[in-house]
Amino acid sequence: MSTESLYQKNYFNRLGEFADLAPEAFKAFVKFDSLALKEGVLSTKLKELIAVAVAHTTGCPYCIELHVTQAKNNNASKEETAEAIMVATALKAGSALAHGVNALNAYDGEEGEELYKEQYFSRLKEFSSLQPDAFKAFINFDTQTMKDGLLTGREKELIAIAVAHTTGCPYCISLHVQGAKKLGVTKEEVAESIMVATALKAGSALAHGVNALNAFDQVAQLT
């Protein structure tokens, strides 16, 4: 094994070692992951596209490789995959901007103990005067990303909900759940999207475990 390369496709093959190192937890995760990704009220194809978006949010190269392949195997086109990635990009950027309302509160010396209130989100428009060109460009990007394309606005909102739960932005969660509901998304569909996000966020930690195994074995070789 090269000590210079931290990510190689074949490292992912070490994942099975956790079946011996932490058998009960590994078995439980594999079962949960399988249930979260199986077809339900959402199709397997859409779940894999949600997984692709979340994998780009967690930044796990193993997860990206796995779920892009599985999305393709479930007849997702390259264009549909790209649209899912654009939603992830808009949501990850949007979460940073949304948290900017907390920055405005902090800068202005707001004395309230509550750090998150839905009403704080109304301060977002202040960025249109503080950073007009960048704010306008972001709003245009976000609008173009979320409109109907090869993926419907409804599908994109479900992807956005999953990504928002991955970034942990309460403003984004509220905004996109409300947006999804207006487009006829059911509570069950929202729940399935969240389960995919949960599986992918946990899965990214486990997938990076192969790097931990590599690092542990390198130390063992040096001692």
Side-chain angles (χ1 to χ4, degrees):
M1 181 192 72
S2 168
T3 58
E4 294 299 317
S5 177
L6 293 178
Y7 289 99
Q8 289 186 13
K9 288 183 183 182
N10 63 358
Y11 292 167
F12 194 63
N13 295 332
R14 298 200 66 180
L15 200 68
E17 294 179 37
F18 285 102
D20 296 320
L21 294 166
E24 294 303 318
F26 183 78
K27 182 180 178 181
F29 170 76
V30 170
K31 182 176 181 179
F32 165 63
D33 186 68
S34 175
L35 289 171
L37 271 295
K38 72 178 284 191
E39 184 138 357
V41 290
L42 301 182
S43 68
T44 301
K45 175 184 172 181
L46 180 55
K47 285 189 172 185
E48 287 297 342
L49 287 169
I50 291 170
V52 169
V54 174
H56 281 79
T57 312
T58 64
C60 173
Y62 304 116
C63 303
I64 292 170
E65 177 83 15
L66 174 65
H67 290 287
V68 167
T69 300
Q70 291 184 175
K72 185 178 180 181
N73 289 342
N74 281 278
N75 299 314
S77 68
K78 187 182 287 187
E79 291 78 9
E80 288 173 316
T81 304
E83 283 194 10
I85 293 167
M86 285 296 104
V87 175
T89 305
L91 264 288
K92 196 163 186 179
S95 69
L97 181 57
H99 280 100
V101 302
N102 293 63
L104 296 176
N105 286 345
Y107 190 91
D108 292 344
E110 294 290 337
E111 295 181 355
E113 287 297 315
E114 183 63 52
L115 291 175
Y116 284 99
K117 284 185 179 180
E118 212 160 339
Q119 70 195 55
Y120 294 163
F121 193 62
S122 63
R123 297 200 67 180
L124 198 70
K125 61 181 178 292
E126 294 179 37
F127 285 103
S128 64
S129 57
L130 293 167
Q131 284 286 298
D133 292 340
F135 184 79
K136 182 179 179 181
F138 171 76
I139 294 299
N140 181 57
F141 166 58
D142 187 66
T143 301
Q144 292 300 316
T145 298
M146 295 304 298
K147 72 179 186 180
D148 282 354
L150 292 173
L151 301 179
T152 65
R154 191 175 187 278
E155 291 170 324
K156 288 184 175 184
E157 288 293 357
L158 283 163
I159 294 170
I161 288 167
V163 175
H165 280 80
T166 312
T167 63
C169 174
Y171 304 116
C172 303
I173 291 170
S174 179
L175 176 68
H176 289 286
V177 168
Q178 290 173 27
K181 188 174 180 180
K182 288 175 183 176
L183 292 173
V185 170
T186 66
K187 190 180 288 187
E188 290 77 13
E189 289 174 313
V190 170
E192 284 199 4
S193 177
I194 293 167
M195 286 298 108
V196 175
T198 305
L200 263 289
K201 196 162 185 179
S204 68
L206 180 57
H208 280 101
V210 302
N211 292 62
L213 296 177
N214 289 344
F216 189 94
D217 291 348
Q218 285 174 15
V219 173
Q221 291 166 10
L222 294 172
T223 57

